[in-house]
């Protein structure tokens, strides 16, 4: 019974290590990629071009222009 438990634990450990290596990309590409880590995406910059309705600077400017055109007592 003890041998069975040891075999199951070893099998689980080996499977875990193989899955972790697969997720890191060890088995893909050349051996030089093994030591490299995946580049982190730029968190400060957008990954795609922004349209004018997504650009915060454009929206801020639009809001300023709109406020200048409103009469002092508000919209009617």
């Amino acid at each position: 019974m003890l041998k069975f438990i040891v075999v199951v634990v070893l099998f689980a450990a080996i499977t875990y290590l193989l899955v972790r290596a697969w997720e890191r990309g060890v088995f893909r590409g050349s051996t030089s990629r093994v030591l490299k880590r995946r580049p982190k995406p730029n968190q400060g910059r957008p990954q795609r071009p922004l349209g004018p309705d997504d650009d915060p600077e454009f929206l801020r400017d639009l809001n300023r222009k709109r406020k200048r055109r409103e009469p002092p007592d508000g919209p009617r």
Side-chain angles (χ1 to χ4, degrees):
M1 182 68 177
L2 183 61
K3 287 181 183 181
F4 177 74
I5 293 173
V6 170
V7 168
V8 169
V9 169
L10 283 175
F11 179 75
I14 291 170
T15 303
Y16 172 77
L17 291 174
L18 285 173
V19 168
R20 292 280 296 183
W22 183 270
E23 287 177 351
R24 289 180 178 223
V26 172
F27 299 117
R28 288 182 243 142
S30 66
T31 57
S32 64
R33 289 186 59 193
V34 173
L35 301 176
K36 295 181 182 178
R37 291 182 172 231
R38 283 186 241 160
K40 293 183 180 179
N42 294 335
Q43 295 174 354
R45 297 183 193 162
Q47 296 296 322
R48 58 181 174 77
L50 290 176
D53 58 337
D54 293 342
D55 186 15
E57 197 172 319
F58 173 80
L59 294 173
R60 208 173 303 117
D61 188 45
L62 192 64
N63 197 19
R64 279 189 219 126
K65 289 178 182 177
R66 186 180 56 86
K67 285 182 180 179
R68 285 186 208 149
R69 289 188 204 152
E70 287 182 5
D73 59 352
R76 292 182 183 206

